[in-house]
């Protein structure tokens, strides 16, 4: 291994450590607790080392969001695939449950993806591939249930917006606890044509 390759590997490892530490700190104490000073203390690097990887907290949030989008896409595909024997309704239901479960288990990551400014562009040509793949993971299942005359991408947007609304309202205590499964049933049976 050349010196250059070793340096690149070490840089990538430091970057992964910064992102993992930021994510852990955000999940434990919220995003307000994530500062370059605290990160530097936790990972035992100087603040200038952090700034050599990320220009600031916004870019760190963006890196966490991209990592989260990749994880969400994988979970959505796994859930839909494992429910393939249950037919279209089963796949869409599994998709909705997986999305809501991811948001519940990873609230700080979910916030990085959809609530906070991570400097990422959505719904545009320059949208990062991880974000496009997250949307594609929803579309892959929903395109099969869009129905005649319904554009699959638009159905996916409305389905995603509905799931995001359920996450946001539930986390804010605006929806009664205990009705999550009924909400999923209503969403799948009324919105997705299955």
């Amino acid at each position: 291994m050349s010196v250059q390759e070793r340096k690149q590997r070490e840089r990538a490892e430091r970057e992964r450590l910064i992102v993992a530490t930021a994510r852990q700190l955000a999940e434990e104490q919220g995003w307000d607790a994530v500062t370059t000073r605290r990160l530097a203390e936790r990972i035992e690097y100087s603040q200038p080392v952090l700034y050599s990887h990320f220009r600031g907290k916004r870019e760190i949030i963006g890196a966490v969001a991209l990592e989260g989008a990749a994880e969400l896409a994988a979970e959505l595909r796994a859930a839909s695939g494992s429910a393939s024997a249950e037919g279209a309704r089963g796949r869409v239901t599994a998709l909705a449950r997986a999305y809501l479960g991811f948001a519940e288990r990873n609230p700080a990551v979910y916030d990085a993806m959809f609530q906070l400014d991570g400097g990422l562009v959505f719904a545009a040509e320059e949208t990062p591939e991880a974000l496009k793949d997250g949307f594609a993971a929803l579309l892959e299942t929903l395109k099969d249930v869009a129905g005649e005359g319904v554009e699959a991408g638009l159905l996916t947007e409305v389905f995603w917006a509905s799931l995001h609304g359920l996450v946001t309202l539930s986390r804010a205590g605006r929806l009664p606890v205990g009705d999550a499964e009924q909400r999923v049933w209503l969403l799948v049976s009324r919105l997705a044509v299955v």
Side-chain angles (χ1 to χ4, degrees):
M1 175 183 303
S2 73
V3 172
Q4 180 66 20
E5 290 171 329
R6 183 182 52 77
K7 285 183 178 185
Q8 287 175 338
R9 188 185 75 225
E10 289 171 355
R11 180 171 176 74
E13 288 173 10
R14 274 193 312 271
E15 194 166 299
R16 279 191 296 274
L17 179 61
I18 293 166
V19 171
T21 304
R23 183 175 175 164
Q24 180 183 18
L25 186 58
E27 292 292 1
E28 291 170 359
Q29 300 177 30
W31 279 104
D32 288 341
V34 179
T35 64
T36 54
R37 193 177 108 243
R38 280 193 177 158
L39 287 173
E41 289 170 2
R42 280 213 176 181
I43 64 174
E44 299 177 347
Y45 284 111
S46 67
Q47 284 181 304
V49 170
L50 267 71
Y51 285 117
S52 73
H53 290 273
F54 300 99
R55 285 182 271 182
K57 184 175 176 177
R58 181 179 187 219
E59 284 190 5
I60 294 170
I61 290 169
V64 170
L66 292 175
E67 186 176 272
E71 291 171 12
L72 176 60
E75 286 190 29
L76 294 175
R77 286 188 176 101
S80 180
S82 68
S84 62
E86 298 174 37
R89 183 180 297 268
R91 287 191 314 277
V92 176
T93 299
L95 189 74
R97 287 178 183 148
Y99 186 98
L100 296 172
F102 177 88
E104 185 177 333
R105 288 187 314 279
N106 304 284
V109 174
Y110 191 86
D111 285 348
M113 292 167 64
F114 301 119
Q115 303 289 350
L116 302 174
D117 179 9
L120 303 174
V121 177
F122 284 80
E125 196 171 306
E126 61 272 15
T127 299
E129 288 304 314
L131 298 180
K132 289 179 182 178
D133 192 46
F135 185 80
L138 291 167
L139 179 63
E140 289 163 10
T141 296
L142 293 170
K143 70 179 182 197
D144 295 334
V145 300
E148 191 175 322
V150 177
E151 203 277 306
L154 291 176
L155 174 65
T156 303
E157 291 171 358
V158 172
F159 191 79
W160 174 30
S162 299
L163 291 172
H164 178 69
L166 289 173
V167 168
T168 303
L169 292 170
S170 295
R171 285 177 56 190
R174 304 291 196 264
L175 296 176
V177 178
D179 294 331
E181 195 56 36
Q182 184 69 11
R183 289 184 192 104
V184 168
W185 179 84
L186 283 170
L187 178 62
V188 171
S189 65
R190 300 295 185 244
L191 184 60
V193 181
V194 288

